[in-house]
Amino acid sequence: MTETLKILLLDDSAEDAEIVQRLLLKQNMNFEFHLAQNEKTYQRALNQFQPDIILSDHFLPQFNSLDALTFARKCFPDVPFIMVTGAVSEEFAAEIIKQGADDYILKDRLSRLPAAIDIVIKKRKAEKEKEETEKKIIQSETNLRTIFENTSEGFLLLDRDAVVITFNSKALKYSFFSKGQKIEAGRSVYDFMSPSRKKVFEGIIFRVLNGESIQYDSSFKMDNDSITWIDFSVTPVIADNQVQGICVTGRDITRRKMAEEELKKNYFEKQSLAERMSTILNALPAYVALLNEDGVIVDVNKAWQSFEDSNGFIGNNYAIGDNYVSFALHAKGVEKEDGLLVGKGILSVLKKMVPGFTYDYAYHSAAGKTWFRMVVTPLQEKEKAGVVVMHINITEQKRSDEALQITLKELSDYKIALDESTIVSITNKDGIIIYVNDNFCKISKYASPDLLGKDHVLINSGFHDKAFMKNLWATIIKGKIWRNEIKNKTKDGDFYWVDTTIVPFLSDKGEPIQYVAINKDITEKKLMEQKMLEQKVQEQKKITRAVIKAQERERNRIGQELHDNVNQILAGTKLYLSVASKSNAKVKELISYPMEMIDNSINEIRLLSSRQVTPLKNINLEELIQSLLDDLVKNTAIKINLACNILSKSVNDDFKLNIYRIIQEQLNNILKHAAAKNVSVCIESMTDGINIVVSDDGKGFDMHKKRKGIGISNMINRIESYNGKIKITSSVGKGCKTEIDLPY
């Protein structure tokens, strides 16, 4: 046991107490010992010493172990109790165990005491953890059931045979499958469907049972002939890598559908296809022109009009009313072949000889070479025909492709160079170097005399652990070839990596007499791998930041849902109860406490919502943090000092929100664990980033002990996702100081 165990022994014999104490010390138990010799000192010790376990003799003047157990169970029911006594009858031993004692040990068999203590402590701990877990499960189930019943979505849970397992009340309102029937658990979902929908749903269920998630909208005609739209989501319930059931959710989207239809009616249907295309294409970061069936320009987007250089295939040189095909054949700034291919290609599309094409070309101007990708697509509207011509700037992509080709060529040349620069060394059976080639000296920067006759360890950098080197020698001394990558050190102290193959040469008796090491210098490769690894790490951090951003949106959504939906439900419930109480004094008295609980729930939800919901744009970090601190001061006796100096223009909103969540997490840690009276928060813009210091005068903690919570881990995850650093300084009784540096 690593934690100090507080042991209270009730025994009127100091000699027996000393024997017990020596026995426990002999077993290397880490404990704090307290002896009580009568009823008065025993009761005082229970309250002041607060033991982790009680050991009690049976026979004491005017007091016995049964009395001690009764008192302990009344005041401290969770503290283990072991009777340690002389001879007692089996009936009494059974009775005291029945009354709640955890074990009994006879003094002539004390050697069993340490093991009994260990077993009892672990058993009590397990029981307590189980009890707490069960409470959490019950509370979690209650919370989930409340959310399940009051969410704005309807839920249906089906087994693999599409039999209804459970559903919420909202699902009843969405049960438009078959009129006149309500959904019931234990019946097939197909029982509530009209025949016309059954076949479609069977196909959906088949796909979901194969692991696919399906989302679709469906309309239902109601009794009053109105149309209701439901957005359905059908997803697999997976456990042990197998689909165990099906979850169906439905959300009423009638208002959204009506709004979409109204928008189409009032806007899109008044426009022709060409007008709609023009509206959409104006927003694209590309140069777009619409041609009629004769190749004449009928419209261009804003990007086309604002193109500065009118040469090439883009710009004011090609205006509405011009024949684009004729101009393209003689365009300036592009290769003649490009002009011919573009002109003939567009004609082929207009004549329906080809369905469209994509062509990359280079445009040469005084500013240099620019690459474009031309996409030509046929446009058909009723009896009219034409084409959409779109030019996309792909210069950066082309440059990247060219750089990639150069890199691939360099890598190919590098590979040839490696083949020509093999590094060779030979050592004798004792590991003494007896030969090196010129390439070895060139790379290691040692002269040949510096190496010959020396132990091979001379060039080993010490970067490899003992297990690695042990495996190397264990392999080659058995006469087997060994291959791996080794990090070595040059004479100047620099390091280099080699891909090493060590071949043992054997005597007639099969024993190694020397070792030949053939090495390939892979230092550049290793550096490249490290660079790629760093890039992967940075990409992962980007993903982490994206996840954090998504979590913030989800927090906001949940907070708003709690505030706008759940609180409205509670407020409505309160209103109905209030109306019911006005006509009956007895009812009013009965519901007074539930009304108070509803008020408390509303307030708690508002508080929770305020913590969850934060602005996602135009964040004023100082105001946000000050609001957080004000709430903390309002609800606790902690005094807080805030110093904030941030250049808002240099910090984006995601970065600010991340800073806020980090400080919120640290303040939560202080509130839960520190018992602090004073807290200081300092946020300051530096030349290269943001410096945050949060300190408190609380009880501190031992930094060498394993952390139980995830608060600090959450902070570290957020900080590392922005390439930041964190330093925590704390010790027992001396508070805690957290320093954070986040680069811009």
Side-chain angles (χ1 to χ4, degrees):
M1 290 177 244
T2 57
E3 296 182 359
T4 301
L5 187 66
K6 299 173 75 172
I7 301 175
L8 171 60
L9 175 61
L10 174 60
D11 199 321
D12 60 347
S13 171
E15 292 79 7
D16 288 354
E18 186 174 355
I19 292 172
V20 170
Q21 192 169 2
R22 285 182 179 179
L23 174 64
L24 299 181
L25 286 170
K26 188 176 180 180
Q27 296 296 321
N28 294 321
M29 291 183 65
N30 183 17
F31 66 91
E32 183 180 349
F33 197 81
H34 188 93
L35 175 64
Q37 295 183 296
N38 53 50
E39 180 180 2
K40 185 176 180 181
T41 56
Y42 170 70
Q43 293 181 359
R44 184 167 61 243
L46 280 175
N47 291 294
Q48 295 179 358
F49 182 61
Q50 294 189 343
D52 296 317
I53 188 168
I54 301 168
L55 309 179
S56 174
D57 191 7
H58 176 54
F59 298 105
L60 291 98
Q62 299 179 344
F63 197 56
N64 62 30
S65 59
L66 193 56
D67 297 328
L69 174 62
T70 302
F71 187 81
R73 285 290 169 263
K74 182 179 179 181
C75 301
F76 301 95
D78 296 326
V79 177
F81 187 100
I82 298 178
M83 183 176 70
V84 182
T85 187
V88 293
S89 66
E90 291 184 2
E91 291 79 6
F92 180 78
E95 179 61 25
I96 198 165
I97 293 294
K98 183 178 179 181
Q99 292 297 325
D102 294 274
D103 204 348
Y104 76 94
I105 305 291
L106 299 179
K107 287 186 176 181
D108 59 355
R109 299 178 187 176
L110 278 178
S111 60
R112 198 171 72 83
L113 181 59
I117 290 175
D118 189 38
I119 292 170
V120 167
I121 289 292
K122 288 180 179 178
K123 179 182 176 184
R124 283 285 182 171
K125 184 177 180 181
E127 289 174 349
K128 187 175 181 180
E129 289 176 351
K130 180 182 178 182
E131 183 181 349
E132 290 177 352
T133 301
E134 288 175 348
K135 287 181 180 178
K136 289 179 181 179
I137 290 172
I138 292 171
Q139 184 61 47
S140 176
E141 289 177 348
T142 302
N143 293 340
L144 287 173
R145 173 54 62 179
T146 302
I147 295 171
F148 185 68
E149 286 298 333
N150 293 289
T151 183
S152 59
E153 293 182 337
F155 282 90
L156 270 177
L157 185 62
L158 315 177
D159 65 13
R160 288 183 57 87
D161 297 321
V163 173
V164 178
I165 298 173
T166 187
F167 56 91
N168 67 352
S169 55
K170 189 70 71 173
L172 293 174
K173 296 182 179 180
Y174 292 164
S175 58
F176 306 121
F177 302 109
S178 181
K179 295 181 181 180
Q181 293 195 56
K182 289 186 177 180
I183 297 173
E184 295 178 9
R187 292 180 61 185
S188 172
V189 72
Y190 299 120
D191 293 345
F192 313 105
M193 288 188 181
S194 60
S196 61
R197 295 184 183 274
K198 183 177 178 180
K199 189 172 182 180
V200 174
F201 200 72
E202 284 177 343
I204 292 172
I205 293 297
F206 176 79
R207 292 166 62 186
V208 173
L209 288 175
N210 283 281
E212 191 176 349
S213 294
I214 309 295
Q215 189 274 333
Y216 67 98
D217 298 343
S218 187
S219 62
F220 298 89
K221 190 173 183 179
M222 308 306 292
D223 291 335
N224 58 1
D225 291 332
S226 64
I227 300 297
T228 296
W229 281 89
I230 303 296
D231 177 23
F232 287 107
S233 178
V234 189
T235 56
V237 178
I238 299 175
D240 299 327
N241 295 322
Q242 291 186 339
V243 178
Q244 303 292 345
I246 303 154
C247 180
V248 183
T249 63
R251 179 185 290 271
D252 191 332
I253 57 169
T254 306
R255 293 179 63 183
R256 191 189 82 190
K257 282 288 186 179
M258 291 174 64
E260 289 175 358
E261 292 299 323
E262 189 67 22
L263 179 62
K264 289 180 181 179
K265 181 179 179 180
N266 293 335
Y267 184 68
F268 286 110
E269 291 183 359
K270 294 180 181 179
Q271 293 184 311
S272 66
L273 179 59
E275 288 173 329
R276 276 180 272 164
M277 289 296 294
S278 179
T279 301
I280 295 170
L281 295 176
N282 264 330
L284 291 177
Y287 309 96
V288 185
L290 302 180
L291 314 183
N292 66 13
E293 63 270 22
D294 299 318
V296 174
I297 299 174
V298 296
D299 198 3
V300 295
N301 72 346
K302 292 180 181 178
W304 183 290
Q305 293 173 344
S306 61
F307 190 70
E308 295 180 358
D309 197 331
S310 60
N311 290 318
F313 295 122
I314 311 167
N316 295 328
N317 193 43
Y318 307 101
I320 294 174
D322 291 335
N323 190 301
Y324 184 75
V325 177
S326 299
F327 278 36
L329 292 170
H330 307 288
K332 297 179 180 180
V334 297
E335 299 293 333
K336 185 177 181 180
E337 182 181 352
D338 291 330
L340 290 173
L341 287 171
V342 168
K344 290 181 178 180
I346 295 174
L347 284 174
S348 297
V349 176
L350 289 170
K351 294 178 181 179
K352 299 182 181 179
M353 296 168 62
V354 295
F357 67 92
T358 299
Y359 182 65
D360 293 352
Y361 66 91
Y363 167 60
H364 302 272
S365 67
K369 183 168 69 173
T370 305
W371 280 93
F372 290 95
R373 174 163 294 159
M374 174 187 249
V375 181
V376 180
T377 306
L379 175 66
Q380 185 75 35
E381 182 184 11
K382 296 180 181 178
E383 300 300 324
K384 295 182 180 180
V387 295
V388 178
V389 180
M390 182 163 55
H391 299 264
I392 305 167
N393 191 324
I394 59 169
T395 306
E396 288 301 319
Q397 179 184 332
K398 282 288 184 180
R399 287 174 181 169
S400 297
D401 292 344
E402 289 172 357
L404 177 60
Q405 294 303 317
I406 293 170
T407 301
L408 291 174
K409 184 178 184 304
E410 288 177 347
L411 287 175
S412 177
D413 294 340
Y414 178 68
K415 184 177 180 181
I416 294 171
L418 278 181
D419 293 338
E420 295 172 350
S421 59
T422 303
I423 307 166
V424 180
S425 65
I426 302 176
T427 59
N428 64 15
K429 64 177 182 178
D430 299 316
I432 302 301
I433 299 172
I434 59 177
Y435 171 81
V436 291
N437 71 345
D438 292 338
N439 288 328
F440 195 109
C441 297
K442 181 180 177 181
I443 291 176
S444 70
K445 299 181 182 178
Y446 281 100
S448 180
D450 295 332
L451 295 169
L452 297 178
K454 303 295 193 308
D455 193 291
H456 74 95
V457 177
L458 174 68
I459 58 169
N460 184 269
S461 61
F463 289 118
H464 304 290
D465 58 29
K466 292 181 180 179
F468 179 92
M469 301 306 295
K470 186 177 180 180
N471 173 263
L472 187 162
W473 287 108
T475 302
I476 61 176
I477 63 175
K478 292 178 181 178
K480 297 180 180 180
I481 296 174
W482 181 91
R483 183 177 180 184
N484 212 321
E485 295 176 352
I486 295 180
K487 194 175 185 182
N488 284 336
K489 185 168 60 178
T490 68
K491 187 176 181 178
D492 297 340
D494 297 328
F495 68 85
Y496 63 98
W497 280 92
V498 287
D499 184 350
T500 300
T501 301
I502 301 178
V503 182
F505 283 76
L506 309 179
S507 66
D508 295 336
K509 297 179 181 180
E511 297 174 348
I513 55 176
Q514 67 181 27
Y515 307 95
V516 177
I518 304 171
N519 310 276
K520 299 288 185 181
D521 186 356
I522 57 170
T523 305
E524 292 296 327
K525 172 191 169 186
K526 279 291 181 180
L527 292 174
M528 189 178 296
E529 287 176 353
Q530 291 174 4
K531 184 177 180 181
M532 292 176 66
L533 179 61
E534 179 60 25
Q535 289 174 347
K536 287 182 180 179
V537 170
Q538 292 303 323
E539 287 298 321
Q540 186 60 44
K541 288 180 179 180
K542 286 182 181 178
I543 293 171
T544 302
R545 292 197 294 271
V547 170
I548 290 173
K549 189 173 181 179
Q551 288 173 342
E552 290 296 341
R553 290 199 186 99
E554 185 62 13
R555 278 188 175 200
N556 275 26
R557 190 190 71 79
I558 292 173
Q560 290 169 356
E561 187 73 16
L562 286 170
H563 185 275
D564 297 339
N565 191 6
V566 178
N567 258 5
Q568 291 299 322
I569 293 171
L570 291 173
T573 304
K574 181 182 174 184
L575 179 63
Y576 279 114
L577 290 173
S578 178
V579 171
S581 67
K582 288 181 179 179
S583 59
N584 192 315
K586 187 175 181 180
V587 171
K588 184 175 183 180
E589 182 180 355
L590 286 172
I591 67 171
S592 61
Y593 181 65
M595 292 278 281
E596 183 181 342
M597 292 179 68
I598 290 173
D599 284 333
N600 291 337
S601 299
I602 291 173
N603 291 332
E604 285 296 322
I605 289 173
R606 284 175 179 165
L607 182 60
L608 178 59
S609 298
S610 68
R611 291 174 182 168
Q612 295 286 335
V613 178
T614 58
L616 298 178
K617 293 183 179 180
N618 302 319
I619 294 174
N620 188 319
L621 181 60
E622 186 172 357
E623 287 183 5
L624 203 59
I625 294 174
Q626 187 63 60
S627 175
L628 175 66
L629 299 180
D630 289 343
D631 289 341
L632 194 62
V633 170
K634 190 187 301 180
N635 295 289
T636 67
I638 299 176
K639 294 181 180 179
I640 300 178
N641 179 46
L642 171 64
C644 187
N645 177 24
I646 296 179
L647 301 175
S648 58
K649 291 183 179 180
S650 62
V651 183
N652 62 45
D653 288 327
D654 291 341
F655 193 72
K656 290 178 186 177
L657 193 54
N658 194 53
I659 292 173
Y660 170 77
R661 291 300 184 195
I662 290 169
I663 294 173
Q664 185 183 46
E665 190 71 58
Q666 181 61 1
L667 290 176
N668 284 338
N669 290 338
I670 292 171
L671 188 61
K672 290 178 182 177
H673 310 295
K677 295 181 180 178
N678 297 282
V679 175
S680 172
V681 180
C682 180
I683 311 166
E684 187 174 6
S685 291
M686 311 298 284
T687 55
D688 55 351
I690 299 290
N691 176 256
I692 305 167
V693 180
V694 181
S695 57
D696 67 80
D697 60 355
K699 59 186 180 182
F701 58 92
D702 185 352
M703 295 183 62
H704 300 291
K705 286 188 176 181
K706 185 178 180 181
R707 299 190 300 269
K708 295 181 180 179
I710 62 171
I712 293 179
S713 298
N714 287 340
M715 279 201 308
I716 292 174
N717 185 42
R718 284 182 174 273
I719 292 163
E720 288 182 348
S721 71
Y722 280 84
N723 298 314
K725 296 180 180 179
I726 180 172
K727 179 183 177 183
I728 300 174
T729 307
S730 183
S731 59
V732 177
K734 295 186 178 180
C736 178
K737 182 179 181 181
T738 303
E739 298 173 85
I740 300 164
D741 288 307
L742 292 169
Y744 291 127

